[in-house]
């Protein structure tokens, strides 16, 4: 799995120390979760600065609930991904939005960088990103969870607080809707 | 309903197989009846996955976020605790220090988007140096360095788009496209024919360019040199020509100068070139000591060794050939017809260096191991 914890790490001990705000434990927890959060947010946004801001904000909010709600690294992960989703939705409801003109001038995507395929990657990202905006919140969330990184169905279900079957149905509809939106763009 | 659930499960099954690397057509071939329904969904899924695949997470973003996270945690923690005076003092000191850093990083947000020539630009560079200094992991430092190089490139691109003229220094892999335009990390270079000859021997290498950016024409190159990465670390593994030093993979060639006896667990100083994405080619390796039972006195000869990992970009005291292509002192749009004789004369010094380097490169690059 792309994000599996270092097996040497004492997972429960990490959370216990994080509850005490032990800087080392917090630092480890942050670095364990950050890549996944960033990938998720970058998948849904086309503004790298907002992507950094939102990813960072997710972790500041984690401090509020750490002691009360988060008992395992897995639940911390589920919590940050759920919060990332909310913040992204807030962003699109214009709470975070700024510098709109600049975006259009600059073709300012996150660093989807591969020397040869850079332009193509950016185009695909742009295309999928634009198509996604017409999907429902849950549909966007499920697609970003499953395709911004390779989360399994079970993990996705846990993060969305839904049953596995419900996620199967949701992702079916989400992909069908995405297909329709992509087709519409080609016409 | 049961019928539907079956379809949903079938889709999930196909997605898992796509994920495992199976070919779309071979999957569909097994479900001829549902193929028409599945195909559009699976092609959408492929596209959705492509959209997320080659993302690079900026090291600086992660470090900024972690710093904010820790500062905020410290702030919250220090509020309720006010009992022990000493502890409180220590806490206050800590908070002051952290606020200082927060100040630095806070300003970094304001300066983050500045380009050379703007008032806050020097702040940005200082902040970057601070970030480098605060990062002890060898791989993280290299990532961070690379991230900063990409920022230089992004700045140059912005200057390029805005048609400004400014001195710049950018670093990145040297590339040549089909129509013989040269670029470093995507920024166009204006090379003289003489510079182009030498540049051709360096394609793919990580280089550093100094020059004047002239709007859309790109960078008028004043000097172009191979970026040397020097660092020290613990030798963790030796596998044929591939060594791992504090998590960084380094290729060691026949032509690499090795001083001392390399052993796993020993500390080594390296001077490397960068080639392609992930290769560090060692030019020199110096074994400076070990973790167990080594005399501490023998570690330092160059005067710059220490226990902490050190990376510096620019090295003056290491006897490794570098290339410097000094551009002819003519303004832009020179007439190529009559080149003054003395220009060639003044360049002869760097030519020697150049041929020396070319030889070196020729001995190193062809032996690059294919994966």
């Amino acid at each position: 799995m792309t994000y599996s914890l270092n097996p040497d790490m004492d997972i429960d001990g990490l959370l216990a120390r994080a509850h005490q705000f032990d800087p080392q434990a917090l630092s480890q927890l942050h670095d364990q979760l950050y890549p996944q959060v960033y990938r998720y947010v970058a998948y849904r946004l086309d503004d790298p600065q907002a992507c950094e801001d939102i990813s960072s904000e997710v972790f500041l909010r984690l401090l509020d609930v750490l002691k009360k709600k988060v008992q395992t690294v897995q639940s911390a992960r589920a919590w940050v991904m759920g919060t990332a989703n909310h913040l992204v939705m807030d962003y699109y409801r214009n709470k975070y939005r700024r510098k709109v003109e600049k975006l259009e001038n600059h073709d300012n995507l996150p660093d989807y960088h591969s020397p040869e395929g850079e332009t193509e990657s950016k185009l695909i990202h742009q295309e999928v990103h634009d198509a996604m905006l017409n999907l429902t919140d849950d549909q966007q969330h499920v697609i970003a969870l499953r395709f911004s990184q390779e989360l399994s169905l079970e993990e996705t279900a846990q993060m969305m607080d839904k049953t596995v079957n419900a996620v199967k149905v949701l992702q079916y509809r989400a992909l069908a809707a995405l297909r329709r939106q992509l087709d519409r763009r080609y016409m | 309903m049961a019928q539907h659930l079956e379809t949903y499960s079938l889709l999930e099954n196909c997605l898992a197989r796509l994920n495992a690397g199976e070919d779309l057509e071979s999957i569909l071939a097994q479900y001829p009846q549902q193929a028409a329904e599945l195909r559009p969904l699976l092609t959408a899924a492929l596209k959705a996955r492509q959209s997320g695949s080659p993302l690079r997470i900026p090291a600086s973003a992660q470090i900024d976020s972690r710093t904010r996270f820790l500062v905020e945690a410290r702030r919250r923690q220090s509020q309720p605790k006010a009992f022990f005076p000493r502890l409180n003092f220590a806490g206050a000191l800590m908070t002051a220090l952290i606020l200082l850093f927060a100040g630095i990083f806070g300003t970094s947000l304001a300066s983050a988007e500045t380009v050379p020539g703007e008032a806050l630009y020097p702040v940005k560079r200082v902040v970057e140096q601070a970030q480098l200094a605060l990062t002890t992991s060898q791989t993280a430092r290299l990532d961070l360095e690379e991230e900063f190089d990409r920022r230089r490139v992004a700045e140059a691109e912005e200057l390029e788009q805005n048609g400004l003229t400014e001195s710049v220094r950018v670093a990145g892999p040297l590339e040549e496209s089909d129509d013989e335009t040269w670029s470093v990390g995507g920024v166009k270079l204006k090379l003289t024919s003489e510079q182009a000859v030498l540049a051709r021997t360096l394609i793919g290498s990580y280089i550093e360019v100094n020059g004047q950016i002239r709007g859309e024409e790109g960078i008028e190159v004043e000097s172009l040199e191979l970026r040397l990465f020097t660092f020290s670390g613990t030798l963790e593994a030796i596998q044929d020509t591939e060594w791992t030093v504090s998590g960084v993979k380094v290729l060691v060639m026949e032509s690499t100068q090795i001083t001392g006896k390399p052993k796993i667990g020993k500390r080594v100083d390296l001077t490397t070139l960068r080639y392609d994405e992930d290769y560090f080619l060692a030019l020199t390796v110096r074994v400076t000591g070990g973790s167990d039972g080594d005399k501490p006195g023998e570690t330092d000869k160059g005067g710059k060794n220490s226990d902490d990992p050190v990376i510096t970009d620019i090295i003056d005291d290491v006897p490794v050939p570098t290339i410097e292509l000094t551009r002819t002192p003519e303004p832009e749009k020179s007439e190529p017809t009559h080149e003054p004789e003395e220009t060639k004369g003044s360049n002869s010094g760097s030519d020697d260096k150049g041929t020396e380097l070319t030889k070196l490169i020729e001995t190193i690059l062809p032996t690059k191991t294919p994966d």
Side-chain angles (χ1 to χ4, degrees), chain B residues 257 284 316-321:
Chain B
Q257 290 178 20
T284 65
D316 302 321
D317 55 346
V318 182
V320 169

Side-chain angles (χ1 to χ4, degrees), chain B residues 257-271:
Chain B
Q257 290 178 20
I258 303 178
T259 322
K261 278 193 182 168
K263 253 195 202 163
I264 307 292
K266 292 241 184 191
R267 236 187 133 63
V268 289
D269 289 349
L270 297 168
T271 310

Side-chain angles (χ1 to χ4, degrees), chain A residues 48 106 108-109 111 113 118 122, chain B residues 112-116 121 124 128 146-162 168-171 184-187 213 219:
Chain A
H106 277 240
N108 224 350
L109 290 174
D111 195 2
H113 186 99
E118 185 173 18
K122 278 191 177 180
Chain B
E113 292 186 359
T114 60
V115 293
Y121 185 72
K124 179 179 183 178
E128 290 180 353
E146 204 183 323
E147 160 72 11
F148 292 155
D149 284 342
R150 278 201 296 276
R151 283 192 196 168
R152 297 294 89 75
V153 167
E155 288 157 13
E157 278 171 345
E158 194 166 334
L159 292 168
E160 197 175 10
Q161 278 167 17
N162 296 340
V168 290
R169 182 187 184 91
V170 296
V184 164
V187 181
I213 191 145
I219 299 176

